[in-house]
mmCIF file of all heavy atoms in Angstrom:
data_model
loop_
_atom_site.group_PDB
_atom_site.id
_atom_site.type_symbol
_atom_site.label_atom_id
_atom_site.label_comp_id
_atom_site.label_asym_id
_atom_site.label_seq_id
_atom_site.Cartn_x
_atom_site.Cartn_y
_atom_site.Cartn_z
ATOM 1 N N GLN A 31 -93.468 -68.600 151.240
ATOM 2 C CA GLN A 31 -92.171 -68.106 151.683
ATOM 3 C C GLN A 31 -91.711 -66.917 150.853
ATOM 4 O O GLN A 31 -91.063 -66.000 151.358
ATOM 5 C CB GLN A 31 -91.117 -69.220 151.622
ATOM 6 C CG GLN A 31 -89.781 -68.844 152.242
ATOM 7 C CD GLN A 31 -89.901 -68.424 153.699
ATOM 8 O OE1 GLN A 31 -90.488 -69.147 154.508
ATOM 9 N NE2 GLN A 31 -89.373 -67.263 154.047
ATOM 10 N N LEU A 34 -93.446 -63.968 152.285
ATOM 11 C CA LEU A 34 -92.777 -63.581 153.530
ATOM 12 C C LEU A 34 -91.456 -62.861 153.245
ATOM 13 O O LEU A 34 -91.093 -61.914 153.953
ATOM 14 C CB LEU A 34 -92.531 -64.807 154.401
ATOM 15 C CG LEU A 34 -93.764 -65.409 155.079
ATOM 16 C CD1 LEU A 34 -93.415 -66.747 155.723
ATOM 17 C CD2 LEU A 34 -94.320 -64.456 156.133
ATOM 18 N N LEU A 37 -92.266 -59.365 152.330
ATOM 19 C CA LEU A 37 -92.637 -58.647 153.548
ATOM 20 C C LEU A 37 -91.403 -58.253 154.354
ATOM 21 O O LEU A 37 -91.299 -57.123 154.841
ATOM 22 C CB LEU A 37 -93.568 -59.509 154.394
ATOM 23 C CG LEU A 37 -93.891 -58.995 155.804
ATOM 24 C CD1 LEU A 37 -94.610 -57.644 155.739
ATOM 25 C CD2 LEU A 37 -94.724 -60.015 156.576
ATOM 26 N N PHE A 68 -100.701 -61.404 169.844
ATOM 27 C CA PHE A 68 -99.844 -62.461 170.378
ATOM 28 C C PHE A 68 -99.063 -63.121 169.253
ATOM 29 O O PHE A 68 -99.430 -63.033 168.076
ATOM 30 C CB PHE A 68 -100.648 -63.497 171.168
ATOM 31 C CG PHE A 68 -101.636 -64.300 170.357
ATOM 32 C CD1 PHE A 68 -101.284 -65.523 169.812
ATOM 33 C CD2 PHE A 68 -102.924 -63.839 170.156
ATOM 34 C CE1 PHE A 68 -102.191 -66.262 169.060
ATOM 35 C CE2 PHE A 68 -103.845 -64.570 169.426
ATOM 36 C CZ PHE A 68 -103.473 -65.791 168.874
ATOM 37 N N VAL A 69 -97.973 -63.765 169.620
ATOM 38 C CA VAL A 69 -97.105 -64.461 168.669
ATOM 39 C C VAL A 69 -97.083 -65.948 169.019
ATOM 40 O O VAL A 69 -96.701 -66.333 170.135
ATOM 41 C CB VAL A 69 -95.671 -63.905 168.708
ATOM 42 C CG1 VAL A 69 -94.749 -64.732 167.802
ATOM 43 C CG2 VAL A 69 -95.645 -62.441 168.294
ATOM 44 N N GLY A 70 -97.499 -66.776 168.092
ATOM 45 C CA GLY A 70 -97.437 -68.226 168.295
ATOM 46 C C GLY A 70 -98.562 -68.782 169.139
ATOM 47 O O GLY A 70 -99.235 -69.737 168.760
ATOM 48 N N CYS A 71 -98.755 -68.209 170.312
ATOM 49 C CA CYS A 71 -99.787 -68.664 171.233
ATOM 50 C C CYS A 71 -100.083 -67.543 172.225
ATOM 51 O O CYS A 71 -99.304 -66.599 172.348
ATOM 52 C CB CYS A 71 -99.345 -69.918 171.988
ATOM 53 S SG CYS A 71 -97.883 -69.651 173.026
ATOM 54 N N PHE A 82 -90.354 -63.762 173.250
ATOM 55 C CA PHE A 82 -90.708 -63.446 171.869
ATOM 56 C C PHE A 82 -91.930 -64.216 171.391
ATOM 57 O O PHE A 82 -92.251 -64.216 170.208
ATOM 58 C CB PHE A 82 -89.521 -63.713 170.947
ATOM 59 C CG PHE A 82 -88.304 -62.915 171.314
ATOM 60 C CD1 PHE A 82 -87.164 -63.543 171.786
ATOM 61 C CD2 PHE A 82 -88.314 -61.532 171.217
ATOM 62 C CE1 PHE A 82 -86.047 -62.807 172.135
ATOM 63 C CE2 PHE A 82 -87.202 -60.790 171.566
ATOM 64 C CZ PHE A 82 -86.064 -61.423 172.031
ATOM 65 N N ARG A 83 -92.593 -64.906 172.318
ATOM 66 C CA ARG A 83 -93.853 -65.572 172.038
ATOM 67 C C ARG A 83 -94.888 -65.070 173.039
ATOM 68 O O ARG A 83 -94.569 -64.343 173.973
ATOM 69 C CB ARG A 83 -93.713 -67.101 172.138
ATOM 70 C CG ARG A 83 -92.932 -67.716 170.998
ATOM 71 C CD ARG A 83 -92.707 -69.217 171.230
ATOM 72 N NE ARG A 83 -93.949 -69.975 171.318
ATOM 73 C CZ ARG A 83 -94.640 -70.401 170.270
ATOM 74 N NH1 ARG A 83 -94.218 -70.135 169.049
ATOM 75 N NH2 ARG A 83 -95.746 -71.106 170.437
ATOM 76 N N GLN A 86 -97.984 -59.763 173.108
ATOM 77 C CA GLN A 86 -97.166 -58.638 172.677
ATOM 78 C C GLN A 86 -98.072 -57.418 172.543
ATOM 79 O O GLN A 86 -99.276 -57.552 172.316
ATOM 80 C CB GLN A 86 -96.489 -58.929 171.326
ATOM 81 C CG GLN A 86 -95.664 -60.209 171.289
ATOM 82 C CD GLN A 86 -94.412 -60.146 172.151
ATOM 83 O OE1 GLN A 86 -93.833 -59.060 172.338
ATOM 84 N NE2 GLN A 86 -93.980 -61.279 172.678
ATOM 85 N N LEU A 104 -92.870 -52.228 169.489
ATOM 86 C CA LEU A 104 -93.537 -53.520 169.697
ATOM 87 C C LEU A 104 -92.798 -54.322 170.760
ATOM 88 O O LEU A 104 -91.576 -54.423 170.730
ATOM 89 C CB LEU A 104 -93.566 -54.305 168.386
ATOM 90 C CG LEU A 104 -94.310 -55.642 168.401
ATOM 91 C CD1 LEU A 104 -95.811 -55.423 168.500
ATOM 92 C CD2 LEU A 104 -93.979 -56.448 167.148
ATOM 93 N N ARG A 211 -102.408 -59.609 161.066
ATOM 94 C CA ARG A 211 -101.846 -60.237 162.265
ATOM 95 C C ARG A 211 -102.477 -59.723 163.557
ATOM 96 O O ARG A 211 -102.264 -60.312 164.617
ATOM 97 C CB ARG A 211 -100.333 -60.027 162.292
ATOM 98 C CG ARG A 211 -99.624 -60.737 161.154
ATOM 99 C CD ARG A 211 -98.204 -60.251 160.955
ATOM 100 N NE ARG A 211 -97.651 -60.809 159.712
ATOM 101 C CZ ARG A 211 -96.928 -61.918 159.649
ATOM 102 N NH1 ARG A 211 -96.659 -62.591 160.749
ATOM 103 N NH2 ARG A 211 -96.471 -62.347 158.498
ATOM 104 N N PHE A 219 -102.780 -64.797 163.097
ATOM 105 C CA PHE A 219 -101.799 -64.286 164.051
ATOM 106 C C PHE A 219 -100.370 -64.641 163.621
ATOM 107 O O PHE A 219 -100.148 -65.580 162.864
ATOM 108 C CB PHE A 219 -102.076 -64.829 165.459
ATOM 109 C CG PHE A 219 -102.014 -66.335 165.564
ATOM 110 C CD1 PHE A 219 -100.821 -66.992 165.801
ATOM 111 C CD2 PHE A 219 -103.170 -67.100 165.421
ATOM 112 C CE1 PHE A 219 -100.755 -68.370 165.908
ATOM 113 C CE2 PHE A 219 -103.122 -68.487 165.522
ATOM 114 C CZ PHE A 219 -101.910 -69.120 165.760
ATOM 115 N N SER A 220 -99.404 -63.883 164.114
ATOM 116 C CA SER A 220 -98.007 -64.102 163.750
ATOM 117 C C SER A 220 -97.468 -65.370 164.407
ATOM 118 O O SER A 220 -97.769 -65.672 165.564
ATOM 119 C CB SER A 220 -97.147 -62.913 164.171
ATOM 120 O OG SER A 220 -97.293 -61.835 163.294
ATOM 121 N N LYS A 221 -96.632 -66.070 163.650
ATOM 122 C CA LYS A 221 -95.969 -67.256 164.190
ATOM 123 C C LYS A 221 -94.546 -66.935 164.654
ATOM 124 O O LYS A 221 -93.979 -67.651 165.466
ATOM 125 C CB LYS A 221 -95.916 -68.357 163.109
ATOM 126 C CG LYS A 221 -97.225 -68.589 162.345
ATOM 127 C CD LYS A 221 -98.423 -68.801 163.227
ATOM 128 C CE LYS A 221 -99.679 -69.097 162.431
ATOM 129 N NZ LYS A 221 -100.242 -67.962 161.727
ATOM 130 N N LYS A 222 -93.975 -65.850 164.107
ATOM 131 C CA LYS A 222 -92.644 -65.394 164.508
ATOM 132 C C LYS A 222 -92.683 -63.885 164.699
ATOM 133 O O LYS A 222 -93.287 -63.165 163.901
ATOM 134 C CB LYS A 222 -91.599 -65.747 163.449
ATOM 135 C CG LYS A 222 -91.378 -67.243 163.270
ATOM 136 C CD LYS A 222 -90.271 -67.504 162.269
ATOM 137 C CE LYS A 222 -90.015 -68.996 162.105
ATOM 138 N NZ LYS A 222 -88.934 -69.257 161.113
ATOM 139 N N ILE A 223 -91.998 -63.418 165.733
ATOM 140 C CA ILE A 223 -92.061 -61.994 166.043
ATOM 141 C C ILE A 223 -91.360 -61.150 164.980
ATOM 142 O O ILE A 223 -91.703 -59.983 164.780
ATOM 143 C CB ILE A 223 -91.454 -61.716 167.445
ATOM 144 C CG1 ILE A 223 -91.886 -60.315 167.911
ATOM 145 C CG2 ILE A 223 -89.936 -61.871 167.423
ATOM 146 C CD1 ILE A 223 -91.624 -60.043 169.363
ATOM 147 N N GLU A 224 -90.377 -61.731 164.271
ATOM 148 C CA GLU A 224 -89.679 -60.966 163.231
ATOM 149 C C GLU A 224 -90.655 -60.490 162.156
ATOM 150 O O GLU A 224 -90.612 -59.329 161.733
ATOM 151 C CB GLU A 224 -88.582 -61.813 162.582
ATOM 152 C CG GLU A 224 -87.420 -62.164 163.504
ATOM 153 C CD GLU A 224 -87.692 -63.397 164.347
ATOM 154 O OE1 GLU A 224 -88.819 -63.947 164.256
ATOM 155 O OE2 GLU A 224 -86.794 -63.802 165.107
ATOM 156 N N TYR A 225 -91.540 -61.378 161.729
ATOM 157 C CA TYR A 225 -92.499 -61.001 160.687
ATOM 158 C C TYR A 225 -93.573 -60.065 161.233
ATOM 159 O O TYR A 225 -94.114 -59.234 160.495
ATOM 160 C CB TYR A 225 -93.116 -62.244 160.067
ATOM 161 C CG TYR A 225 -92.132 -63.038 159.252
ATOM 162 C CD1 TYR A 225 -91.726 -64.304 159.643
ATOM 163 C CD2 TYR A 225 -91.572 -62.501 158.088
ATOM 164 C CE1 TYR A 225 -90.803 -65.023 158.893
ATOM 165 C CE2 TYR A 225 -90.658 -63.219 157.339
ATOM 166 C CZ TYR A 225 -90.270 -64.479 157.753
ATOM 167 O OH TYR A 225 -89.345 -65.180 157.012
ATOM 168 N N LEU A 226 -93.888 -60.188 162.521
ATOM 169 C CA LEU A 226 -94.821 -59.239 163.130
ATOM 170 C C LEU A 226 -94.223 -57.834 163.095
ATOM 171 O O LEU A 226 -94.911 -56.859 162.779
ATOM 172 C CB LEU A 226 -95.128 -59.656 164.568
ATOM 173 C CG LEU A 226 -96.038 -58.712 165.365
ATOM 174 C CD1 LEU A 226 -97.391 -58.550 164.676
ATOM 175 C CD2 LEU A 226 -96.216 -59.211 166.797
ATOM 176 N N ARG A 227 -92.944 -57.725 163.408
ATOM 177 C CA ARG A 227 -92.277 -56.413 163.359
ATOM 178 C C ARG A 227 -92.294 -55.848 161.937
ATOM 179 O O ARG A 227 -92.558 -54.660 161.733
ATOM 180 C CB ARG A 227 -90.842 -56.528 163.854
ATOM 181 C CG ARG A 227 -90.701 -56.893 165.322
ATOM 182 C CD ARG A 227 -89.254 -56.804 165.788
ATOM 183 N NE ARG A 227 -89.075 -57.400 167.091
ATOM 184 C CZ ARG A 227 -89.377 -56.803 168.248
ATOM 185 N NH1 ARG A 227 -89.883 -55.580 168.216
ATOM 186 N NH2 ARG A 227 -89.180 -57.419 169.400
ATOM 187 N N HIS A 228 -92.003 -56.692 160.960
ATOM 188 C CA HIS A 228 -92.006 -56.238 159.569
ATOM 189 C C HIS A 228 -93.398 -55.767 159.157
ATOM 190 O O HIS A 228 -93.536 -54.750 158.459
ATOM 191 C CB HIS A 228 -91.542 -57.361 158.635
ATOM 192 C CG HIS A 228 -90.108 -57.735 158.810
ATOM 193 N ND1 HIS A 228 -89.110 -56.810 158.985
ATOM 194 C CD2 HIS A 228 -89.494 -58.967 158.812
ATOM 195 C CE1 HIS A 228 -87.943 -57.430 159.095
ATOM 196 N NE2 HIS A 228 -88.152 -58.727 158.998
ATOM 197 N N SER A 229 -94.425 -56.493 159.569
ATOM 198 C CA SER A 229 -95.792 -56.123 159.184
ATOM 199 C C SER A 229 -96.206 -54.804 159.836
ATOM 200 O O SER A 229 -96.915 -53.995 159.228
ATOM 201 C CB SER A 229 -96.778 -57.233 159.555
ATOM 202 O OG SER A 229 -96.973 -57.316 160.952
#
Side-chain angles (χ1 to χ4, degrees):
Q31 188 58 52
L34 287 171
L37 171 62
F68 65 93
V69 175
C71 62
F82 301 113
R83 288 174 61 82
Q86 305 292 330
L104 184 71
R211 295 165 189 266
F219 60 87
S220 283
K221 314 308 183 287
K222 295 184 179 180
I223 196 167
E224 293 85 357
Y225 291 113
L226 177 59
R227 294 188 192 280
H228 293 318
S229 71

